[in-house]
Amino acid sequence: MARSTAPSRARRRLIWSATLATVLVATAVALPSDVRRAGSLLAAYDAASAARAADESATRESGTEPHVEAPGTEPHRHDDPATKNAVSRAGETSEDAQDPTTAAEKRANTAYVAAQRRAADPKLKRVRVMPRRTKHPRTRYALANGCYTLTQGGDPLFFKPTDLGTYLLYTRAGTFVSTTGTSTEPGPKTVWTARKKGRKLTFTSEGTRLEQRGRSTFRPTRAQGCTAYPESQINVSGGPHAGVSPFQEVRGYIDAHTHGMAFEFLGGGAHCGKPWDTYGAPYALVDCPDHTYTGGRGAALEAFLSGEPSHDPVGWPTFVDWPAPHSLTHEGTYYRWLERSWRGGQRIFVNLLVENNQLCTLYPIKRNSCDDMDSVRLQAKDMYEMQDYIDAQFGGPGKGFYRIVTSPFEARRVINAGKMAVVMGIETSVPFGCTFKKAPGGDVPACDLASIDRQLDEVHDLGVRQMELVNKFDNALSGIAGDAGSTGVAVNSANFAETGTFWDMRHCEPEVPGAHDRTQYAQPDISPSQQDALFGAIGQLFGAGNLPAVPVYPRPAHCNDRGLTTLGEHTIKALAARHMLFDPDHMSVKARQSSLDTLEEIEYPGVLSSHSWSTPDAYPRIYKLGGFVAPYAGDSTGFVEKWRAHLGWADKRYYFGFGFGADINGLGAQGDPRGADVSNPVTYPFRGLNGVKIKKQHAGERVYDLNVDGVAQYGLYPDWVEDLAKVAGADGRAITQDMARGAEAYLQTWERAHGIAPDSCRNPDLRLPVDRAMKRVQRGMSPRAVMTKVGQPYLRHGRTFGFCARDRAGSKVMVTVHFTRAGTVQRVSRG
């Protein structure tokens, strides 16, 4: 494929290339331009493209038809709506040709989901966002974000938590109480630890005790007149929704794939900003030093991806250029933005710990280890620290909305309490150190069964409950789907640096058209909206001249011949033994098919595809196993089409709900705006889940409008869900219902991973004789114990479970289990 002749990006790169080397590294960095460089990655790929063209020419001369890609299978660019919003991101596919489901099956499955929507919704209630504030704080945590005086007639102070029990004391003048008086900037001398002393409190900082008017013990009193500490707003009114019992059916949206701790990955120097900071938004939402010191002109990755020589490096409070849907180097999940999504209806957030050691090694600015497992441990630690920080903002341990959970039963309790269940997952290129080196006698893996089990136990103890086996590279567990275009060039070369071999992409003609891996041919430019463009940009910027040229591959379609290894099969079974959810995304088609074979063999339902990196041959198999699918979010227009496609794959034996995978924070571009001039824009304010009122979000001086800003940051996902309803038209209510049922569907898949049988109403073969079923449920049992005995309930309303049994004639009989307020069985009845 010829290089693009569009002048903008290549010419603008030349403008800032000289500055780049000075700012980042002392050694020269080879930047792509219109000048061909011998030995460069793109030059090598140009040769590969020429060879492919020659091969096709020879094919035509021989009288045979050359391979023709299906419509829409050009290199995968997310700024092209036809590919950004594809059902599968794991291979370029013709969506009409790929679907193995018959038209009749699609109609039946879609009708089943429609019938389920007509069932009664669980009863919900509203809960308070914050504990009720009393005249005097009852605990040392209850000062959080409140206005108090310490002495009678004293000046009011705003108490901004920096952690549990520690505060900045912010004055009306916008300064900080310090051990030396007042300060215009926060620092260690302005952080005060509150300690309870009877009914009073003391405050100390670096060994100095706070004194006011001769007093050093205080009984803070609620006051008015404070200057609030600068913070991003929420702009959602109405209490968060909760269940009327801890064990009922839940409602809420689910993001099954996001990287909330990505500020630590790639060495911690490639990502600008972070989800929280001790000193709040003005210090969390700042640009990278190499961006700031040069006025936005030394931002290597940002400039390379955008084609712009510079950007406004100021984040808080103006946010002129970032965050934005296509800004892959800037923070998108600041905790207040996550809080807004929770307030707007989201109830499950899956945070995947992420790393790529080779690309981390290439990037010249770093403060963290590049080892995948070191990064996993660091990011897991960060998650607990962020949980503590959010707890501090909400008034004490356990008070915050962000709750890390380790089982579906705990997650259900958290959601029904009105909070967000946070699930920890892993998506790294070399999990458990399981790389390999190519050797004459065969692959030499760097891990074994014992080391996998030992480290799997370790991450399980950390709280990990969801996992992919591969990301960008082949490893000792599985082959990879690969990347297309120039991202593929760079990442394939890094794959060689890691393993001593390139992706083994061979020509294939799959039985299911479209079920192949990423096509390997040239695409000269990397745009921010290409899938995983950040990885490709690092490879091109800092690997050119250092990484080997990729091989010439045969004509498409391409399938990686590396599949699931014995170690990979063992890892999947080990995940199942620990009731962890397995995600086959990013695997080669060959490996994914083998992994699903393994799951079917052991009858394990704990499987999901979290961000569209599986191929369409896999989705029906995932649903049939009892698994869950959450496609990549992308644009609202494309997501609606994905939803419609997945309705046809739904399995009537299981509860259906739908989720999304944001893949935010450098890994995936976010949804673009449709424009304020469309006929059906999002109209503010609007009503969200359970009737909350959602207005345009304010962050510092910036006001966000989904119609013109798109999903610029995570707080706009409630607005994006509203846009789904607008795009879906007559199906608007249906898609929002399915999205609201997403959290429940995920929890039910996770319950089945714990050995709970599917419900006996949707699965008649599981119905017990009614007398035997009723005898199995004993007075005093917990909800989990009941499910262990009779399977998942068909109905979970309030303090009752409903499931199906059969009478002597084989007819269906409904059985109802009644629970006490304490959550133990009170009685069992028919009907």
Side-chain angles (χ1 to χ4, degrees), residues 216-480:
S216 60
T217 61
F218 309 97
R219 194 178 187 201
T221 302
R222 282 186 65 185
Q224 295 180 339
C226 284
T227 298
Y229 192 75
E231 190 54 272
S232 181
Q233 297 180 36
I234 302 300
N235 304 112
V236 177
S237 58
H241 73 267
V244 297
S245 80
F247 44 85
Q248 72 172 55
E249 182 177 339
V250 304
R251 281 292 178 270
Y253 312 130
I254 171 174
D255 177 1
H257 192 112
T258 276
H259 301 285
M261 298 298 139
F263 74 99
E264 300 282 23
F265 93 133
L266 298 178
H271 183 92
C272 310
K274 50 188 175 179
W276 89 100
D277 185 89
T278 297
Y279 303 138
Y283 298 84
L285 298 173
V286 296
D287 216 334
C288 292
D290 55 307
H291 298 197
T292 303
Y293 296 156
T294 59
R297 291 177 172 80
L301 288 180
E302 187 72 14
F304 187 88
L305 289 163
S306 68
E308 298 292 342
S310 66
H311 70 277
D312 187 334
V314 179
W316 179 272
T318 55
F319 299 116
V320 173
D321 286 337
W322 66 271
H326 295 272
S327 180
L328 301 186
T329 67
H330 291 105
E331 180 59 44
T333 58
Y334 181 60
Y335 92 93
R336 289 282 281 181
W337 300 340
L338 182 57
E339 180 182 344
R340 185 175 192 268
S341 195
W342 160 65
R343 290 286 302 279
Q346 185 174 337
R347 287 299 179 268
I348 296 181
F349 177 82
V350 181
N351 184 73
L352 296 170
L353 316 175
V354 62
E355 191 52 86
N356 184 291
N357 64 316
Q358 282 294 328
L359 296 175
C360 172
T361 301
L362 287 175
Y363 194 68
I365 302 174
K366 60 181 66 71
R367 54 182 167 78
N368 297 332
S369 166
C370 288
D371 180 85
D372 287 54
M373 296 309 295
D374 286 346
S375 195
V376 163
R377 296 178 188 102
L378 175 60
Q379 292 175 46
K381 176 175 174 287
D382 287 339
M383 287 181 66
Y384 289 105
E385 290 182 357
M386 179 166 158
Q387 179 175 254
D388 286 347
Y389 180 82
I390 294 174
D391 278 355
Q393 308 307 310
F394 281 76
K399 303 291 187 183
F401 70 90
Y402 184 97
R403 312 308 315 156
I404 299 171
V405 299
T406 56
S407 77
F409 316 105
E410 180 185 13
R412 188 176 296 279
R413 291 192 297 271
V414 162
I415 295 169
N416 278 321
K419 300 182 186 296
M420 179 185 284
V422 179
V423 181
M424 191 183 299
I426 289 177
E427 182 189 38
T428 69
S429 293
V430 188
F432 312 137
C434 283
T435 187
F436 71 93
K437 295 297 181 185
K438 194 73 174 177
D443 298 345
V444 180
C447 60
D448 56 25
L449 302 181
S451 67
I452 291 171
D453 287 342
R454 182 179 66 254
Q455 293 180 82
L456 192 52
D457 284 339
E458 178 191 0
V459 299
H460 186 273
D461 288 344
L462 290 175
V464 172
R465 293 298 184 270
Q466 182 175 312
M467 186 169 178
E468 298 172 34
L469 299 194
V470 292
N471 186 11
K472 295 287 99 182
F473 299 157
D474 291 331
N475 61 31
L477 308 178
S478 170
I480 194 75

